[in-house]
Amino acid sequence: MSKGIDILESSDIQAGSSRFDSRLDSRNFWGKVFAYFCVFSAFFGLAVLAFLIFDVSSDGASRLNGELFANFPSRRPEESGYRAAIWGSVWMLAYVLLLVIPIGVSSAVYLEEYAPKNWLTDIIDLNIYNLAGIPSIIYGLLGLGIFVQGVFGGRSVLLAGVLTITLLILPPVIVISREAIRSVPQSVRQASYGVGATKWQTISNHVLPAALPGIMTAVIISSSRGIGETAPIVVLGAGTVLFDPKAAPINFGALFSGRFGDVFTDTLWSNDNFFSVLPYQIYEWVGDPRADFQTLASAGIIVLLALVLGMNLLAIFIRNKVS
């Protein structure tokens, strides 16, 4: 009887194995097809990117000289440069990072480690994820209504741009930072608690250092998006300017000379601190019908790419040093 059962079981196994083997070749074939498709997609994307970079570089390389960085915009393309736009982008991004990093990381730590899991935090989570996917022009309209029209009396100043771009990139920083904190194993926390560490000591000494590469990645991705956005800046009403933006938080000359009433004049907080940024200036000159200005726009694209790549390389270097 047992032999009969063994024979039946072996025949069932062989039948199942044969059915599996008949599908195995098809699975291997489609697996190879998918792998080749992934490789083709990767190389196709790189080829298109290389072609675009080559095309822009060949158009704008002739304008990559000292005058491009030293001159302000002009109606004459041969005398025009990106000085005001470059400094506007640099200072705007510097202040955006000063706001985004502490606020974004602190929010992620609170929501992931301290906030109770209830309906209120569920609503907050839902809204943060939704805000991370909203088009940038919506943030431009928000900044126009709250900061430009409401706070600065219709003036599109540097601080309005800083606050608007901060709102734009803050949700992605919070979302990715939370994922990095969540990826830290619970065993790390349990081991820290086991030797008598407090919750804050555990977070500051173990969780945050382990999550730092992911947090830095969030900052890199978000800052790259922020510096390259044109739509919010256009909506804010920023334009071409012929001077460097005021970037100092206080007027040190007035402070040291005892003129305390002028400490906040000619500073970041001034109501006449108008600005321009690289994406906006490129946008203006790309639409000019004159070929010289389009060549100038190509040169600006090269500068913007170099600035973004340089910031990313610096952030990656810092991330690798501290991780």
Side-chain angles (χ1 to χ4, degrees), residues 171-192:
V173 169
I174 296 175
V175 170
I176 304 175
S177 298
R178 288 188 65 185
E179 295 296 332
I181 294 171
R182 191 179 303 158
S183 66
V184 178
Q186 287 294 329
S187 58
V188 174
R189 298 173 176 84
Q190 298 298 333
S192 179

Side-chain angles (χ1 to χ4, degrees), residues 125-288:
D125 289 344
L126 178 63
N127 280 278
I128 290 175
Y129 280 97
N130 287 336
L131 288 173
I134 290 179
S136 60
I137 194 169
I138 303 300
Y139 286 97
L141 293 171
L142 178 66
L144 177 65
I146 296 179
F147 303 126
V148 175
Q149 299 294 338
V151 178
F152 296 103
R155 297 172 179 266
S156 179
V157 295
L158 180 60
L159 189 57
V162 168
L163 296 175
T164 301
I165 299 300
T166 298
L167 292 178
L168 171 66
I169 69 176
L170 190 58
V173 169
I174 296 175
V175 170
I176 304 175
S177 298
R178 288 188 65 185
E179 295 296 332
I181 294 171
R182 191 179 303 158
S183 66
V184 178
Q186 287 294 329
S187 58
V188 174
R189 298 173 176 84
Q190 298 298 333
S192 179
Y193 295 145
V195 296
T198 64
K199 190 176 185 67
W200 171 242
Q201 288 173 333
T202 300
I203 293 172
S204 60
N205 295 328
H206 302 286
V207 176
L208 283 180
L212 191 57
I215 294 173
M216 291 297 296
T217 301
V219 174
I220 292 170
I221 295 173
S222 302
S223 61
S224 298
R225 178 189 179 189
I227 197 174
E229 285 290 352
T230 307
I233 303 301
V234 173
V235 173
L236 288 179
T240 301
V241 297
L242 305 180
F243 49 83
D244 297 332
K246 306 177 184 71
I250 61 174
N251 190 329
F252 293 99
L255 178 65
F256 294 139
S257 62
R259 295 180 289 108
F260 299 109
D262 297 330
V263 168
F264 293 106
T265 59
D266 295 330
T267 61
L268 174 69
W269 319 98
S270 302
N271 282 335
D272 59 347
N273 191 15
F274 301 106
F275 74 106
S276 182
V277 291
L278 270 170
Y280 177 82
Q281 197 63 65
I282 293 170
Y283 168 78
E284 282 288 311
W285 285 338
V286 162
D288 197 290

Side-chain angles (χ1 to χ4, degrees), residues 20-55:
F20 180 78
D21 290 338
S22 64
R23 297 178 181 178
L24 184 60
D25 293 337
S26 174
R27 291 175 178 176
N28 287 334
F29 171 76
W30 287 111
K32 291 180 180 179
V33 170
F34 180 73
Y36 287 133
F37 175 76
C38 291
V39 173
F40 170 78
S41 299
F43 278 99
F44 179 77
L46 290 174
V48 172
L49 178 61
F51 173 77
L52 292 175
I53 292 176
F54 173 78
D55 183 61

